[in-house]
Amino acid sequence: MAARGHVQDPNDRRLRPIYDYLDNGNNKMAIQQADKLLKKHKDLHCAKVLKAIGLQRTGKQDEAFTLAQEVATLEPTDDNSLQALTILYREMHRPELVTKLYEAAVKKVPLSEEYHSHLFMAYARVGEYKKMQQAGMALYKIVPKNPYYFWSVMSLVMQAISAQDEKLAQTMFLPLAERMVEKMVKEEKIEAEAELILVYFCTEKLTSELQSRENKCMMLYKRLQRWPECNALAHKLLLKNPDDWQFYPAYFDSLFHLVDQSWSPPEEGEHCSEGSVHHTVAEVVRFVEERIKGEDGKESRSLRGPYLARLELMHRLRERGCPEESLLGEPLELMVQFFNKFGDKPCCITDLKIYLHLLSPEQHVQFINRLSEAVPLGNQEEEGFAFPEDTKALQRHLCVCQLSRALGLHHSLDVDGKLHLITELKAHYHHGLKFGKNTLKTELQFSDMYCLMAAHVYIDLWTETGDEDMMWQCLGLLQEGLFHSPSNAQFKLLLLLLYCRLGAFEPVVDLYSSLDAKHVQHDTIGFLLTRYAESLGQFAAASQSCNFSLRFFHSNQKDTSEYIIQAYKYGAFEKIPEFIALRNRLNQSLHFAQVRTERMLLDLFLEADIVLSLEESVKAMSLSAEEDDIPWDSMRDNRDLTVFTCWDPKDRQLTDEHRRQSLEEESMWLRIRSLTLRLLASLAALGHMPSQQNSEISNENGVGDKTSILSSLLSQLNQTLQTAAQMAEKRIQYPFLGPPSTRLVLALSSGSCQCQAAALQLSVHLHELETLQTQICNGFKSIVVQLQEILNKCKGDLLEMKEGKLKTQPSLLENLVFFVETMCIVLWMASYCAKILRPLKTSLQKKKKKKKDANTPVVMCGFQELTGNLQDLLTQAMEHIKGQETAMTALKLATLTLEGSGIPGQKRHRHRKVQSSYLRSLQEVGDLLKKRTETIKNLKI
Amino acid sequence: MTALRPFTCDDLFKFNNINNNEYLTLYKAYFKCVSSYSGYFSLTFDLQYGIPFYLQYLAHWPEYFIVAEAPGGELMGYIMGKAEGSVAREEWHGHVTALSVAPEFRRLGLAAKLMEMLEEISERKGGFFVDLFVRVSNQVAVNMYKRLGYSVYRTVIEYYSASNGEPDEDAYDMRKALSRDTEKKSIIPLPHPVRPEDIE
């Protein structure tokens, strides 16, 4: 706790124990101590705030807030109260209240530099740029320090950056900022480099490149399209450092611009202020060749830059259709030359990969043969393979393998060819392990990549032939790789993906946690977990996965604000827009929206009407039907879809089109889920209505409003489902190592989305009970039929033994989860229905006593039939699960007895992992169904 | 074959492939510079620190945070450092907090290049020397720093806290004098090892 500066103040002495309790996490004692103190000193506001902090931290948010507001309305001006309130508001995630607090404080103490500066920071936290600008100026007027002045200027720049209206930015904010800066320049008051950067900001809205004058000039030349200067500076810098990649693209770009403009140098004098310009392709070719000669002739090791630059130039010339390409030579020869020089570097593959398209398809085999000649291998050993004798040779050999894969030569092999390739790669992998006997646990093995590549070939075979055995072998190989190289993240990632595809989430939990993913990684690779956990029925793990991500996103909001303020304090102005952009990028993250939505849905599925009622659950989540908090239009896809190492040829790689489709699909599925969630919130709101009125007329007492929200959300859902169905028909396939498909296709084909929508639709019809009785009864019947159909799609064996081979059908498990989710929603609808029908029945019974001929309405019978059927369905589902469990446990025995008949121990172990995961999923699903069966009892009317 | 540029927040999203190469590892005295956060050692990915830690450096010493990018756009490695110490006591210096190079871009002299950049910046800022901490057992890194002109100034006892079953480990505090320290006073080795709590 910060506020303990002035020891002389007796209040500080009194408050100290409370601070200490709070610091030590002893909130109860803090509250007690505060109460004690408040008895003696009624006006010690700070004690109240500290008590509120204690309350807030013990989960009594409402009390805490009331108490805090008591103090806040008094507009305190003592340091202790202000700081304590600031802390409290921050913990409540109400930073906007801090601004109010200091606004009041500076009004009362107008000359306080401290309060003004707190006010500025409070505005900064909530991004009130205009008020920041004013607060900065106010500060500068009280204390004329440069930073304060520039805080104000920077806030103007921020207004420009964030302005919706580009014109306003260009005509008002930036010119004003510029004038303000000019004033300081004229008065010779500029003190820091960062202040100078603001000058750039104002004129160019540049993000600054801090490193060197050259870099800044280069950027300015490019921006101003001063190609002669750009070209001259680039080649000057390349003379100095021929390995600096950033100047080659600038050099080539400028050349082509000059050629396009038919630029020619002036007759006399310098070409431009930066010196001579290379304005013809011939000159540039010569320059690059000279750099290479320089490297060739060097005693020390050659730099890759010039050699790569030659390939880059060739690539660009070919793109433009320039015949001068041939001046540089034959691409195959150049690449072979590059390999000869740099093939023993691990980066050789990344370098050459981007230029493979320069080769014609007929050259591919020739190219690989030429490279293979340059790989020194020892004598052939027993299996007919020759191995490298040192790590450099290994690196070369590996590079050739990677290049052949990248050229598609692995993919064109037939099944036997692929199996032979796997044998070869495995042999190289095992042989290479001897070079890494003494490596640390944290280091990778030299030959790890062989292992990974063999795994990729197994996956090719699996996906092409459907032979699951390939996948089991692949799992085994990767496990072995991980054993020798326990920190290889690629092994873990691929294992994780394979287990997910198999529908076995249990092993994934450990794998992911061993990856030790941190903060941003929850956003970039968290989707690997959240896509599968819930859909495979591992609800506990699903909750946990969502929580990892949510914790990160929530702390981001606090953290980034903090550092935006630090950047102001240290004058790192160019970082401010960057930090704000980071905050937005995370807040608008697709994954964030997904985990938010899925976490709430999951909580409802698991607990609503079991632990708390649906209404209470919805309230506890402060979920609102009206509010859509997902930034649909500015959604950011932060997933790292290239996290898997991949050497596939271009036509098999992830394309931008895939990325777009995947984002579209994810958004679509998110929309369905988010609408479902809001519909449930709206159903809960209906259930909240006093039940007597419901049965009579729906338009009274706001029920009509609530149903209209329900209907409008429902029609949105139905529309979305229609579009989704069209999308699902396209059957989009992503590369294996690319983004996973969403649950959308299966959700539609299982019929669960449609059934959920129908159930929610019924809750609208219930309001016209009198007129729609038959329709409602038909609705009940149809829902039962639909649920039965979903359940039928769950039947079959998740894991079975066929001709001595294991066969998995993970989609059955996913369907089962859809069945459970849909059942939950149907039961909530039924529970709402019961609420409406109960009073109806009571009044009927009264009437019955009077009039004997009054019949029980159709809807009553229909409802009773419904609950009976739901009960049957639940029993059926649980029997199915029990059957699966028994079959699977029996299978375990069967597998065990197979010992000695070919299945090696390793593989059995993997089988068991999958089996155990399936059993766990079944158990979690079964448990939930059992709990739901209990709730049926409450549906009696 | 590298483009060196300032590190930006967006780079955080591309970090999944830079593995820790242990040129420099974390030290247990983190809470000294970042009060609320204690960093810890990652074996797989190199985002060892929390976002606040990175933002802290970006907000305070943006010029000391440099990333190297390959022609294909892959991140090759980065260096992160700061300037600190009293000018009056001639202790104003550049400090290397983290240096990391992705496995496939090792043995290209990239670490040396990044170190050179950091030294250049420290020169510009008028530092007396550049220093860094490294595990005593990390012979590869110690030798690399020696090649770059660094020498052991002192040993810090049990500077690295135990993790993953490894015991506590000592660190070398290695230094290289900059031109402002004409007599190279800053790098005269201390005769005795020190404890972590004794270092500034």
Side-chain angles (χ1 to χ4, degrees):
Chain A
M1 209 121 292
R4 272 173 291 176
H6 328 276
V7 189
Q8 60 272 38
D9 187 342
N11 279 343
D12 278 357
R13 189 175 39 77
R14 292 182 190 121
L15 293 170
R16 170 150 299 194
I18 315 182
Y19 281 117
D20 288 341
Y21 283 130
L22 285 175
D23 276 355
N24 299 329
N26 200 340
N27 297 315
K28 271 192 191 141
M29 283 304 288
I31 297 170
Q32 279 179 21
Q33 187 70 27
D35 279 334
K36 231 194 267 173
L37 195 58
L38 281 167
K39 263 183 204 156
K40 279 195 231 161
H41 306 272
K42 265 189 196 151
D43 302 329
L44 195 49
H45 305 313
C46 185
K48 265 191 200 169
V49 185
L50 293 180
K51 182 182 168 188
I53 293 180
L55 288 168
Q56 165 78 17
R57 290 183 184 171
T58 43
K60 293 174 184 152
Q61 280 88 349
D62 292 344
E63 270 180 74
F65 185 70
T66 324
L67 201 56
Q69 288 321 88
E70 269 178 40
V71 181
T73 45
L74 299 172
E75 305 189 338
T77 54
D78 66 297
D79 233 22
N80 284 336
S81 303
L82 286 171
Q83 295 210 20
L85 275 169
T86 307
I87 289 166
L88 177 64
Y89 287 151
R90 231 180 274 169
E91 285 182 14
M92 290 175 153
H93 303 286
R94 301 286 305 270
E96 74 284 1
L97 292 175
V98 182
T99 62
K100 299 267 175 317
L101 202 61
Y102 280 100
E103 274 168 10
V106 299
K107 231 177 247 164
K108 285 191 177 169
V109 194
L111 290 179
S112 162
E113 179 182 2
E114 197 188 336
Y115 291 170
H116 272 285
S117 119
H118 279 305
L119 179 59
F120 178 87
M121 295 308 174
Y123 286 140
R125 237 180 219 109
V126 292
E128 289 252 26
Y129 305 124
K130 191 170 172 57
K131 289 192 171 154
M132 283 163 77
Q133 179 205 338
Q134 293 159 350
M137 266 339 264
L139 252 174
Y140 185 68
K141 273 179 198 148
I142 303 167
V143 196
K145 289 181 187 165
N146 262 16
Y148 295 151
Y149 189 84
F150 284 100
W151 285 5
S152 184
V153 180
M154 187 59 210
S155 308
L156 261 172
V157 177
M158 283 314 302
Q159 284 180 67
I161 292 176
S162 62
Q164 300 285 337
D165 182 356
E166 183 77 17
K167 226 176 163 185
L168 203 62
Q170 294 301 336
T171 55
M172 199 176 99
F173 296 130
L174 287 176
L176 184 54
E178 198 178 347
R179 274 203 301 282
M180 283 179 73
V181 175
E182 268 168 14
K183 187 164 169 272
M184 290 302 262
V185 177
K186 272 186 201 141
E187 295 171 15
E188 293 185 353
K189 282 184 184 163
I190 298 278
E191 285 165 2
E193 188 195 3
E195 293 171 4
L196 205 65
I197 285 160
L198 259 185
V199 182
Y200 279 112
F201 252 139
C202 301
T203 48
E204 285 281 327
K205 227 167 92 174
L206 296 177
T207 47
S208 83
E209 200 90 4
L210 274 167
Q211 303 207 4
S212 60
R213 194 199 72 90
E214 287 95 343
N215 282 1
K216 276 182 207 157
C217 289
M218 187 65 97
M219 193 175 46
L220 280 169
Y221 288 146
K222 270 193 265 179
R223 195 150 302 202
L224 300 172
Q225 309 203 334
R226 307 246 304 251
W227 304 118
E229 282 84 358
C230 187
N231 179 284
L233 180 61
H235 85 248
K236 217 158 58 181
L237 290 169
L238 286 172
L239 273 177
K240 210 167 73 183
N241 181 3
D243 200 37
D244 199 329
W245 187 252
Q246 58 189 324
F247 300 126
Y248 281 108
Y251 181 51
F252 299 146
D253 282 343
S254 60
L255 164 74
F256 296 129
H257 281 292
L258 292 171
V259 170
D260 291 343
Q261 293 168 0
S262 341
W263 185 89
S264 61
E267 306 263 312
E268 276 174 41
E270 289 256 334
H271 287 178
C272 73
S273 59
E274 291 286 352
S276 68
V277 176
H278 295 165
H279 68 287
T280 63
V281 174
E283 273 175 295
V284 170
V285 169
R286 203 180 320 126
F287 178 80
V288 172
E289 298 285 5
E290 276 165 18
R291 299 287 75 67
I292 290 172
K293 259 184 220 136
E295 292 302 319
D296 281 343
K298 243 173 41 177
E299 293 271 308
S300 56
R301 69 176 164 200
S302 320
L303 300 168
R304 288 141 61 233
Y307 299 91
L308 266 188
R310 178 161 60 185
L311 290 169
E312 175 70 21
L313 181 58
M314 185 173 263
H315 156 68
R316 288 182 183 228
L317 288 171
R318 184 172 291 187
E319 248 184 353
R320 288 173 58 92
C322 286
E324 285 100 331
E325 184 202 317
S326 57
L327 288 175
L328 288 163
E330 167 59 31
L332 188 137
E333 293 302 326
L334 297 185
M335 287 165 85
V336 170
Q337 191 193 346
F338 188 90
F339 179 80
N340 287 339
K341 271 192 161 323
F342 305 107
D344 55 359
K345 308 254 185 246
C347 62
C348 187
I349 174 71
T350 27
D351 288 343
L352 286 182
K353 208 168 59 181
I354 36 182
Y355 299 112
L356 284 178
H357 62 277
L358 295 174
L359 300 173
S360 67
E362 305 81 59
Q363 286 179 310
H364 289 172
V365 176
Q366 189 200 349
F367 175 60
I368 294 300
N369 289 341
R370 285 282 304 279
L371 297 187
S372 303
E373 286 163 20
V375 180
L377 294 179
N379 295 325
Q380 281 196 1
E381 287 178 29
E382 62 255 51
E383 279 176 284
F385 301 122
F387 298 109
E389 281 167 345
D390 58 30
T391 52
K392 285 200 166 178
L394 180 145
Q395 204 55 57
R396 279 182 186 276
H397 181 262
L398 182 60
C399 185
V400 179
C401 293
Q402 290 170 320
L403 286 168
S404 355
R405 188 160 175 87
L407 287 169
L409 299 180
H410 290 180
H411 302 84
S412 55
L413 294 171
D414 60 9
V415 173
D416 285 337
K418 280 183 179 135
L419 286 171
H420 184 262
L421 175 64
I422 289 173
T423 319
E424 186 182 352
L425 289 170
K426 274 192 191 166
H428 274 276
Y429 169 59
H430 289 130
H431 178 268
L433 287 176
K434 74 172 183 192
F435 301 120
K437 276 194 181 124
N438 300 319
T439 46
L440 298 168
K441 243 178 23 191
T442 53
E443 292 279 314
L444 308 183
Q445 288 287 340
F446 289 96
S447 60
D448 273 356
M449 287 299 193
Y450 286 115
C451 178
L452 190 64
M453 198 178 295
H456 282 188
V457 185
Y458 271 131
I459 293 173
D460 292 342
L461 281 169
W462 178 36
T463 47
E464 283 159 27
T465 65
D467 181 356
E468 245 182 57
D469 201 41
M470 292 297 115
M471 195 270 321
W472 293 109
Q473 305 253 15
C474 182
L475 280 178
L477 181 61
L478 287 168
Q479 292 283 13
E480 186 191 344
L482 200 54
F483 173 78
H484 292 298
S485 193
S487 55
N488 190 317
Q490 285 298 327
F491 290 163
K492 294 178 192 173
L493 282 166
L494 195 53
L495 275 169
L496 188 152
L497 184 68
L498 288 172
Y499 278 120
C500 284
R501 293 283 170 109
L502 266 178
F505 196 78
E506 206 176 46
V508 170
V509 178
D510 286 343
L511 282 168
Y512 190 82
S513 76
S514 78
L515 279 173
D516 206 6
K518 303 228 174 56
H519 48 91
V520 176
Q521 284 165 337
H522 288 308
D523 193 14
T524 52
I525 61 171
F527 68 93
L528 291 171
L529 281 189
T530 49
R531 159 63 183 86
Y532 293 102
E534 205 228 324
S535 64
L536 294 172
Q538 305 248 334
F539 302 129
S543 273
Q544 204 191 13
S545 319
C546 288
N547 285 351
F548 284 148
S549 295
L550 283 174
R551 216 173 298 144
F552 160 65
F553 285 114
H554 287 307
S555 71
N556 152 59
Q557 295 173 337
K558 249 189 353 216
D559 292 343
T560 39
S561 314
E562 205 47 53
Y563 289 95
I564 291 166
I565 286 167
Q566 291 231 354
Y568 272 105
K569 282 189 186 154
Y570 297 124
F573 293 118
E574 81 284 355
K575 288 290 163 193
I576 294 169
E578 204 179 300
F579 288 176
I580 291 173
L582 172 69
R583 180 168 64 185
N584 292 344
R585 182 167 177 183
L586 291 172
N587 278 343
Q588 296 162 355
S589 158
L590 165 73
H591 183 61
F592 185 22
Q594 284 172 328
V595 287
R596 234 165 35 216
T597 311
E598 290 297 337
R599 177 64 221 263
M600 286 195 270
L601 275 173
L602 188 61
D603 279 354
L604 291 181
F605 291 138
L606 293 179
E607 295 184 348
D609 276 359
I610 294 174
V611 181
L612 292 172
S613 70
L614 180 65
E615 292 81 18
E616 286 163 329
S617 303
V618 165
K619 188 167 173 262
M621 290 176 195
S622 30
L623 183 62
S624 127
E626 290 87 348
E627 197 192 342
D628 183 3
D629 65 348
I630 296 173
W632 297 106
D633 298 326
S634 53
M635 195 114 75
R636 298 289 299 263
D637 186 358
N638 295 331
R639 292 176 298 166
D640 185 350
L641 298 179
T642 52
V643 65
F644 290 95
T645 298
C646 174
W647 304 277
D648 284 348
K650 240 190 165 120
D651 56 321
R652 285 168 181 263
Q653 271 175 20
L654 187 74
T655 60
D656 287 343
E657 180 62 8
H658 286 135
R659 286 172 189 275
R660 194 192 58 72
Q661 285 171 331
S662 167
L663 175 60
E664 199 182 0
E665 189 189 327
E666 295 283 349
S667 308
M668 182 69 75
W669 177 239
L670 176 60
R671 206 179 275 278
I672 293 175
R673 299 293 272 183
S674 139
L675 282 168
T676 309
L677 184 64
R678 289 170 62 199
L679 276 160
L680 292 173
S682 124
L683 182 66
L686 280 177
H688 229 50
M689 289 291 122
S691 48
Q692 304 90 293
Q693 281 107 5
N694 280 355
S695 58
E696 300 296 326
I697 309 159
S698 58
N699 285 338
E700 274 174 26
N701 299 318
V703 180
D705 283 349
K706 298 261 153 98
T707 43
S708 78
I709 294 167
L710 192 68
S711 317
S712 120
L713 287 173
L714 207 48
S715 78
Q716 285 180 50
L717 179 64
N718 284 324
Q719 262 170 12
T720 313
L721 285 178
Q722 267 179 20
T723 336
Q726 286 162 9
M727 185 186 276
E729 267 169 30
K730 287 190 212 151
R731 299 265 155 197
I732 301 159
Q733 290 287 329
Y734 307 106
F736 190 86
L737 298 174
S741 300
T742 64
R743 301 170 70 192
L744 180 70
V745 172
L746 214 52
L748 290 172
S749 71
S750 73
S752 76
C753 281
Q754 299 86 331
C755 182
Q756 292 176 12
L760 292 160
Q761 182 71 57
L762 263 180
S763 55
V764 178
H765 288 330
L766 281 172
H767 291 278
E768 292 162 68
L769 201 50
E770 305 291 315
T771 46
L772 294 176
Q773 285 216 25
T774 342
Q775 199 180 333
I776 291 170
C777 286
N778 290 340
F780 288 156
K781 278 186 196 133
S782 143
I783 279 181
V784 171
V785 173
Q786 291 185 51
L787 273 170
Q788 181 68 58
E789 270 167 20
I790 304 175
L791 186 56
N792 291 344
K793 288 188 180 122
C794 309
K795 291 185 180 164
D797 287 321
L798 200 50
L799 189 66
E800 63 178 333
M801 191 67 97
K802 256 188 192 163
E803 294 153 12
K805 281 182 177 178
L806 269 188
K807 183 107 190 76
T808 57
Q809 285 197 78
S811 66
L812 295 177
L813 192 54
E814 289 200 57
N815 279 342
L816 189 60
V817 173
F818 281 127
F819 173 77
V820 180
E821 289 185 359
T822 313
M823 182 53 101
C824 290
I825 292 176
V826 170
L827 285 171
W828 290 323
M829 180 276 295
S831 151
Y832 172 61
C833 203
K835 258 187 205 154
I836 291 181
L837 294 179
R838 247 174 239 136
L840 196 64
K841 191 172 180 187
T842 347
S843 67
L844 262 175
Q845 275 164 346
K846 282 180 203 155
K847 278 182 202 163
K848 249 190 198 171
K849 282 176 190 162
K850 290 176 197 161
K851 279 191 217 163
K852 285 219 163 163
D853 57 329
N855 284 326
T856 318
V858 196
V859 72
M860 297 279 185
C861 310
F863 184 74
Q864 263 144 10
E865 204 179 313
L866 173 73
T867 51
N869 285 332
L870 291 179
Q871 177 73 59
D872 287 349
L873 279 165
L874 279 170
T875 318
Q876 215 185 104
M878 285 194 294
E879 267 163 20
H880 166 64
I881 288 175
K882 201 160 280 163
Q884 281 292 298
E885 283 171 344
T886 327
M888 220 176 280
T889 323
L891 205 59
K892 199 178 218 167
L893 296 172
T895 326
L896 276 173
T897 53
L898 271 175
E899 203 168 5
S901 68
I903 296 187
Q906 263 278 314
K907 197 146 107 193
R908 256 198 0 252
H909 183 61
R910 292 183 306 275
H911 288 160
R912 226 177 278 155
K913 271 191 180 175
V914 172
Q915 219 167 25
S916 136
S917 178
Y918 284 169
L919 283 170
R920 177 156 175 177
S921 297
L922 288 172
Q923 193 197 339
E924 287 202 37
V925 174
D927 284 351
L928 182 54
L929 284 173
K930 207 185 283 167
K931 286 182 194 157
R932 288 288 161 206
T933 318
E934 296 294 308
T935 66
I936 285 202
K937 291 177 190 147
N938 305 329
L939 294 180
K940 287 217 176 80
I941 49 170
Chain B
M1 178 44 35
T2 321
L4 296 178
R5 58 169 179 78
F7 187 94
T8 68
C9 291
D10 277 341
D11 290 323
L12 287 169
F13 293 85
K14 300 187 229 159
F15 249 54
N16 290 326
N17 274 320
I18 299 190
N19 278 265
N20 194 305
N21 73 339
E22 290 216 70
Y23 278 143
L24 268 186
T25 39
L26 298 183
Y27 49 101
K28 68 175 163 196
Y30 260 130
F31 44 87
K32 282 192 172 166
C33 44
V34 192
S35 57
S36 63
Y37 183 78
S38 60
Y40 67 106
F41 182 64
S42 152
L43 295 175
T44 48
F45 289 137
D46 201 31
L47 271 172
Q48 307 114 323
Y49 319 106
I51 284 208
F53 193 71
Y54 287 99
L55 296 188
Q56 152 108 0
Y57 272 77
L58 285 172
H60 208 147
W61 305 279
E63 66 283 6
Y64 267 120
F65 203 158
I66 299 157
V67 65
E69 202 173 57
E74 300 94 347
L75 293 193
M76 305 165 75
Y78 75 94
I79 195 165
M80 181 167 122
K82 60 181 168 181
E84 60 184 5
S86 137
V87 178
R89 282 188 285 163
E90 304 196 357
E91 280 166 359
W92 173 248
H93 69 282
H95 173 78
V96 186
T97 304
L99 168 61
S100 197
V101 177
E104 62 266 43
F105 298 106
R106 290 180 199 168
R107 297 176 212 127
L108 298 168
L110 183 59
K113 203 163 170 185
L114 289 165
M115 287 295 286
E116 196 185 307
M117 295 270 328
L118 190 131
E119 287 159 19
E120 211 180 294
I121 296 165
S122 304
E123 282 281 0
R124 281 215 306 264
K125 289 185 171 283
F128 291 90
F129 59 91
V130 170
D131 78 345
L132 55 91
F133 293 88
V134 59
R135 277 180 193 270
V136 171
S137 67
N138 192 350
Q139 216 44 53
V140 181
V142 172
N143 288 338
M144 182 195 76
Y145 291 123
K146 283 189 175 160
R147 275 200 307 279
L148 298 178
Y150 287 74
S151 55
V152 175
Y153 168 68
R154 58 186 170 186
T155 304
V156 189
I157 297 164
E158 291 174 355
Y159 185 66
Y160 294 100
S161 34
S163 71
N164 296 342
E166 312 279 337
D168 284 354
E169 193 178 339
D170 299 351
Y172 286 137
D173 177 357
M174 297 184 79
R175 290 184 174 187
K176 179 177 181 176
L178 296 176
S179 60
R180 186 166 178 188
D181 181 14
T182 43
E183 293 162 41
K184 307 218 177 297
K185 278 193 291 192
S186 62
I187 61 164
I188 300 168
L190 291 190
H192 304 293
V194 295
R195 301 218 44 102
E197 50 273 24
D198 301 329
I199 52 177
E200 301 262 317

